[in-house]
Structure formats: structure tokens, C-alpha cells
Amino acid sequence: MSTIRQQKYIKSVEQFKCSGCGGELQVVNPRTNFIACQYCGTVQEAKTQDHKILLKLSKPSKFPPMRFIKLGMEAEFDGIKYKVIGRTRWRTQYKEWDAESGKYEDSTWQFDEWLLLSQYYSFIYLVEDKEGFAMSYPFVPRYPNLPTNDGWIKNFYSGDRTRVSEYGKATIIHFEGESTYQIEVGKEINFAEYKAGNTVFVVESHFYKDSTELQEIEFWREPSMSYAQVLEAFSQNPEVKRKKEEYRARKKTYRFFVRSFFMLAAACFIAFFLSFSAKKILDVTYTIPYTFATSSSDSMQLVATTERFMLDKQDEMIEFILSISSNGFRDGWVGIEICNAQDEVINTMEGDFYDEGDEGLTSTSQVYKVDKVGEYYIKLYVEPKTWLSAYESGVRIEVDRVWMLSRYYIIGFVIFLICGVIASVIIPSE
């Protein structure tokens, strides 16, 4: 049984000098009819012996590639080898849908359309602009249609009404390399597109010159490709291989900074957590029965006395927080007396609390400076005649040290966390 020899990768089928500048040209695709010189921009016939000059375009140096791809480079996508044989630069004038304003905004853009010939002599198009890459494939839609005048189109697969994200005209402004048809600078096509996930779906319509009669409609799907994916596909080219290594080095450095941001955010959070947990001096809750209002007394009554606590730093700022739980609570006056070790009242706090569902006041706080170090305790009072509660309610007393640095820990945590999130989303490309 004879073996089937694997076809070798594309080889040039013809080489000749440009009729315009004498530069070395080669035709890879045997079906190529026209070739635009990558040195001087001369477009000439590829099939004739004299390579007749058809027209002269602007020099390619006026329209340099956007990144690293060049004519003649080799690539591999999905295990199939390709060679770059052509590039078309398009300028678009289009309307872009702005969801915030609810209308279309005018815009302009440029992109390169790279023509790649496979080892099996089939074609694919690689679209490149300043934002990235997309592979462009022709396809037959289940629901072929053009957009309506008000900016809607039927989804090509489901038939659902879909908003057109962009529509307008695209004009050829430069071409170099091989083509089966003669490229006309200034040629226009109409296009409309919508997005679904990471894929853009495009319908292109061509009209006969100086006519409103429709000549051709083409449908394309364009899944996006990352910079890293395209680098990998072209990495067999020495200059791209170097770029790939540089890109990996940048990514490694970049990941280090991302990790650093998150570590700093974590450090700020831990510092804040430790400072928050260390600042608590007293935290107690006392239950007030709902029958308290049946008391015959019209004056405030002492309902609890806290344990003694130490304030051992002169001029330290201390926050006293008084709050009430809303377990059936409706209305009531609550007050406290702050007493020292000699049973002297050194300060007071009160709150006329209420909870009406949509509106309420259930907590209050004040900050005092410690004039004298020593032991302190708190007396809790409630005024029975003001008390309205369907169930038992709780009155909470908190005493905390005021650490001014805590707010800076919070600010630092938020800043470093935001920087880390942004850095992890925005991946360096070039």
C-alpha cells in the first residue's frame, strides 16, 4: 500500500520584478490575477508575461501595518498553516449606537483586513484595528436580512429583533499584495453589524456603480481574538517570536504588580480589622420588657448598670454609642449617665428613639475626650410613659476607642483593591 505524502507548505509559484520599481515580487496563490507592490504601490497583472501596470497606489510606507503582521509571514490557526498574501486598509464612516443617550453617534475608524492563504489553498481574513483582532468567516445565515431604517435587524440565527450596534460605509484606502480581483481604491461597501458575546455579525451590501440596484450581499461572523492568540499563531516568524518573548516578560511583570496591589489591599484590610477589633471597650445589650409602659411612674427609671471599664490614656477620644433594636419597638426615651469610680456623673447622653417602618431613629453617638484616667461605668435609664413596644426590645450600649487611622486603612484598602481589579482586567497587549 502506497503512503500518501503530506503536502508541503505553500511555495511561491512565480517570482518576478515589479514593473514599477524593480522590487522582487512573488505570487503564492496560483489564482492571483493582480498584485500590488509592497514597495512602491504599483498594481499590475500577475498572469501576463509583461506584468502590465494597471494603476499606481500610494506607497505602502504611508499606510504602515498597525502591529507586527507583514506580507509573506507564516501563521498557524487550528493546526492549519497559512501565509499572509494581501492587506487591505479600510476607512469607515459609521453610526454607533450609544445606549446611554439612546441614539446613534457619528464616528470614523480604520482597520486592516489581512488575506491569508492556507496550505490547502483556501482563504481566511484576519481583521486588525487599534483595539485588537478578529477572524472573519463568511457564512450562510438562517435568516438573511438587511437592517431597517430605525436601526434594527433580525438575528441571523434566531430571527429575533436585534439592535444594530454599528452601520455605515467602508472605503478602501490602501491595498498591497495579491488579489483574484482588481482592487479599486475608493470602492465603497455598506455594512451593518450587531454583537453577540465575543462575536460580531456583519452584513455587507454592494451596489452597482452609480446605481441603487443591489449587486451582492455577504454575511460574515467575526469572533474576536486576543493579542496573545495572534502572537502565538505567528510565533514561527523570528521577529514575532521575539515579540512573543517580550510580551511574556511584560505579562510576568504585570502579574507581579497585580498581585502587589491585591496584597497591599489585603494588608490594609487586616490592619483595619485588627484596629477595629482592638478599639472595642464595652458592648452590652439590655432587654426592656414590652410591659414596661404599664409602670405608674412618670419619671425615668434606672434599668441597668454596666460593669466597670478602664480608660487609661489621657486625652484619648472615646465614642459612646446608644442604640435600640426594632423588635416590635415603636417609641421611647432612653438615656445614660457616664460615671467615674467615685460615682460622680461626668457626662450624659440621651435618645428619643422611634421606628415607624419607612422612617425611624434607632441610634445616636457622641465622642468625648478622657480628662482623667481611671475606672468608669454607665447607668441606663428609660422613661416608662414614653415606651411603646409590642415585644421585648433591646437597648445596646457600646464604648469604642476612636482611631483616626482607621479611615485611612479603609481608603487604602479601597484604592489598592480598585487598582488591582482594574489591572487584572486591562491586560497589556503591545
Side-chain angles (χ1 to χ4, degrees):
M1 180 177 178
S2 62
T3 59
I4 299 176
R5 183 174 297 175
Q6 210 42 30
Q7 179 189 15
K8 292 185 177 180
Y9 187 44
I10 303 166
K11 292 185 178 180
S12 175
V13 297
E14 185 179 0
Q15 292 183 333
F16 57 90
K17 292 184 180 295
C18 172
S19 301
C21 67
E24 294 290 340
L25 302 179
Q26 66 176 17
V27 176
V28 175
N29 180 17
R31 290 177 291 177
T32 292
N33 294 316
F34 306 95
I35 184 167
C37 178
Q38 67 264 38
Y39 308 109
C40 68
T42 298
V43 178
Q44 53 204 298
E45 293 179 341
K47 292 292 181 67
T48 62
Q49 291 297 319
D50 57 353
H51 304 298
K52 180 181 176 182
I53 295 177
L54 301 175
L55 71 147
K56 282 187 175 283
L57 304 176
S58 298
K59 287 187 177 182
S61 57
K62 291 186 177 181
F63 300 95
M66 295 182 178
R67 293 179 178 83
F68 55 84
I69 303 177
K70 297 177 182 178
L71 289 181
M73 280 188 172
E74 298 179 358
E76 184 174 326
F77 293 97
D78 298 324
I80 300 176
K81 295 182 182 298
Y82 294 88
K83 192 163 189 174
V84 180
I85 65 170
R87 174 171 73 106
T88 305
R89 172 69 59 87
W90 295 84
R91 178 189 292 124
T92 61
Q93 292 180 309
Y94 63 97
K95 303 277 189 180
E96 183 175 13
W97 177 252
D98 185 353
E100 292 185 3
S101 64
K103 61 182 181 180
Y104 286 96
E105 304 287 346
D106 291 325
S107 190
T108 59
W109 197 247
Q110 291 189 18
F111 66 91
D112 281 336
E113 188 178 64
W114 295 95
L115 177 61
L116 280 65
L117 179 66
S118 80
Q119 64 192 85
Y120 306 112
Y121 292 92
S122 59
F123 298 101
I124 61 170
Y125 293 94
L126 181 63
V127 178
E128 176 185 13
D129 60 22
K130 291 181 179 179
E131 293 184 350
F133 298 89
M135 196 66 78
S136 187
Y137 303 97
F139 76 103
V140 178
R142 185 177 300 169
Y143 297 93
N145 68 112
L146 291 173
T148 59
N149 291 331
D150 58 350
W152 294 92
I153 195 170
K154 287 183 181 179
N155 184 292
F156 298 145
Y157 287 107
S158 66
D160 296 334
R161 192 166 180 256
T162 304
R163 169 64 69 181
V164 172
S165 55
E166 295 178 11
Y167 72 92
K169 292 182 181 295
T171 306
I172 296 176
I173 60 175
H174 173 69
F175 172 77
E176 60 181 296
E178 302 179 38
S179 174
T180 55
Y181 63 95
Q182 186 174 342
I183 297 293
E184 298 179 28
V185 172
K187 179 182 178 181
E188 291 184 346
I189 62 167
N190 297 295
F191 74 92
E193 63 183 48
Y194 68 88
K195 295 179 181 178
N198 71 333
T199 301
V200 174
F201 293 91
V202 185
V203 54
E204 295 179 356
S205 54
H206 307 254
F207 292 85
Y208 287 104
K209 191 173 182 180
D210 302 325
S211 173
T212 58
E213 182 181 355
L214 192 61
Q215 179 183 7
E216 184 182 19
I217 299 178
E218 295 179 290
F219 296 90
W220 305 85
R221 61 180 182 87
E222 299 180 350
S224 63
M225 298 192 71
S226 69
Y227 182 81
Q229 286 175 308
V230 179
L231 265 182
E232 181 65 33
F234 282 87
S235 60
Q236 57 190 298
N237 301 278
E239 59 267 47
V240 181
K241 185 177 181 180
R242 287 193 298 271
K243 275 191 169 291
K244 178 183 173 182
E245 292 169 353
E246 293 170 1
Y247 176 74
R248 284 181 173 176
R250 285 199 305 272
K251 286 271 289 185
K252 186 176 180 180
T253 304
Y254 182 78
R255 280 193 288 267
F256 168 78
F257 282 109
V258 171
R259 286 194 295 267
S260 298
F261 279 123
F262 279 112
M263 288 177 66
L264 287 170
C268 288
F269 175 78
I270 292 171
F272 170 72
F273 178 78
L274 293 176
S275 68
F276 182 81
S277 60
K279 75 175 186 176
K280 189 69 67 178
I281 298 174
L282 181 70
D283 188 351
V284 292
T285 300
Y286 298 100
T287 300
I288 309 297
Y290 73 96
T291 57
F292 192 77
T294 61
S295 173
S296 60
S297 175
D298 291 337
S299 61
M300 62 182 186
Q301 291 187 16
L302 176 66
V303 295
T305 300
T306 69
E307 63 183 16
R308 294 173 182 257
F309 53 89
M310 177 65 70
L311 301 180
D312 53 3
K313 292 184 180 180
Q314 183 77 25
D315 296 328
E316 184 178 27
M317 304 301 291
I318 302 295
E319 182 179 24
F320 291 81
I321 304 171
L322 185 60
S323 60
I324 192 161
S325 65
S326 298
N327 184 22
F329 172 77
R330 293 291 180 271
D331 197 5
W333 180 92
V334 180
I336 61 172
E337 291 179 341
I338 304 169
C339 306
N340 59 18
Q342 290 75 41
D343 299 324
E344 300 171 333
V345 177
I346 63 169
N347 225 318
T348 62
M349 259 183 70
E350 63 180 85
D352 194 3
F353 301 123
Y354 66 95
D355 186 1
E356 298 177 356
D358 295 337
E359 187 177 350
L361 176 65
T362 57
S363 68
T364 185
S365 66
Q366 289 187 24
V367 177
Y368 302 106
K369 184 169 69 172
V370 178
D371 293 329
K372 295 181 180 179
V373 299
E375 286 188 338
Y376 293 85
Y377 67 93
I378 296 173
K379 293 180 178 180
L380 173 65
Y381 295 88
V382 176
E383 191 172 357
K385 67 178 182 178
T386 66
W387 198 263
L388 295 175
S389 182
Y391 308 98
E392 289 185 340
S393 300
V395 176
R396 183 180 181 184
I397 302 172
E398 298 174 77
V399 181
D400 298 331
R401 290 185 174 88
V402 179
W403 283 21
M404 300 303 293
L405 286 178
S406 296
R407 70 183 65 179
Y408 297 109
Y409 291 142
I410 296 175
I411 294 171
F413 167 71
V414 172
I415 290 175
F416 288 120
L417 183 62
I418 291 174
C419 289
V421 170
I422 293 174
S424 63
V425 172
I426 304 174
I427 301 174
S429 57
E430 300 173 63

